[in-house]
Amino acid sequence: MTDAQPSPAPFAPHHLEEREKLAYEAVMSLFSAQERTVGNYRTRATAIFATAAFVVSFSASVGLIGNDPGKGAVFPYWAAITLLSVVAVQGGLIMLILWPRSFSYGHEITALIHPKVEDAHRRPIDTKLVEDLLGDLSRNRKQIVFMSRLYQGATFLLLVEVAVILAAVAVTR
């Protein structure tokens, strides 16, 4: 049994480099997932606002919202002010979702091409690079959670909008 080769140490340099490359690939994949998530929230937020606009215009076109007593019930003042407020706040939430923000999509390419003097001796992919990217992912995640809450608020306000219209119609009929 003296001919058997000892297995390499689990953290031998070549094993560490392979692990760093795998970690790097995983981190970059997470950046792509975050980018898709942000795009998804922005698309869905736009759809929420389009739906809100449709609800108001449809309600006005079928006579649920009107201000001419000769053509039917007049939409109550309280409902009009409430509806205007709801749509304005909802629009604000959606603007915050759509507004450009500082968001990291990975590392800066120039830092790899022209590294700082103290980083020039390091391998292109190493533990520090992956840890820096993980920090960026964490900062992105906080923004995505914020966008999620904004989206939930905008969605809730869509329900409030419909409820205000239905309540006003029920009161005036």
Side-chain angles (χ1 to χ4, degrees):
M1 287 276 146
T2 57
D3 294 334
Q5 294 281 339
S7 64
F11 293 107
H14 66 282
H15 285 297
L16 183 58
E17 193 171 325
E18 288 175 21
R19 293 167 63 100
E20 289 168 341
K21 285 180 183 177
L22 286 172
Y24 174 80
E25 289 172 7
V27 165
M28 294 311 293
S29 175
L30 290 172
F31 275 114
S32 294
Q34 284 185 339
E35 183 178 9
R36 287 189 306 274
T37 300
V38 168
N40 189 333
Y41 274 124
R42 287 179 171 159
T43 301
R44 291 164 67 187
T46 303
I48 288 279
F49 202 63
T51 303
F54 173 76
V55 167
V56 172
S57 21
F58 178 77
S59 299
S61 69
V62 297
L64 298 178
I65 298 176
N67 60 0
D68 184 0
K71 294 183 179 178
V74 174
F75 199 68
Y77 182 74
W78 66 266
I81 295 300
T82 304
L83 189 59
L84 177 63
S85 301
V86 166
V87 171
V89 171
Q90 184 183 53
L93 295 176
I94 289 169
M95 282 294 294
L96 287 172
I97 293 170
L98 298 176
W99 206 267
R101 54 187 70 241
S102 69
F103 195 82
S104 177
Y105 296 101
H107 48 78
E108 293 186 34
I109 303 302
T110 56
L112 293 175
I113 296 171
H114 305 291
K116 297 176 190 172
V117 174
E118 62 269 15
D119 294 339
H121 69 281
R122 292 180 23 211
R123 294 187 318 271
I125 298 175
D126 65 2
T127 304
K128 182 175 180 341
L129 174 69
V130 173
E131 288 172 348
D132 290 347
L133 292 172
L134 285 171
D136 289 344
L137 281 172
S138 179
R139 284 185 289 282
N140 288 353
R141 185 179 186 289
K142 289 176 185 172
Q143 290 191 53
I144 291 171
V145 167
F146 180 65
M147 288 175 80
S148 169
R149 291 194 177 120
L150 292 172
Y151 178 76
Q152 290 169 349
T155 303
F156 175 74
L157 288 176
L158 181 61
L159 297 175
V160 170
E161 179 183 347
V162 171
V164 167
I165 292 170
L166 293 176
V169 169
V171 167
T172 59
R173 302 284 182 220

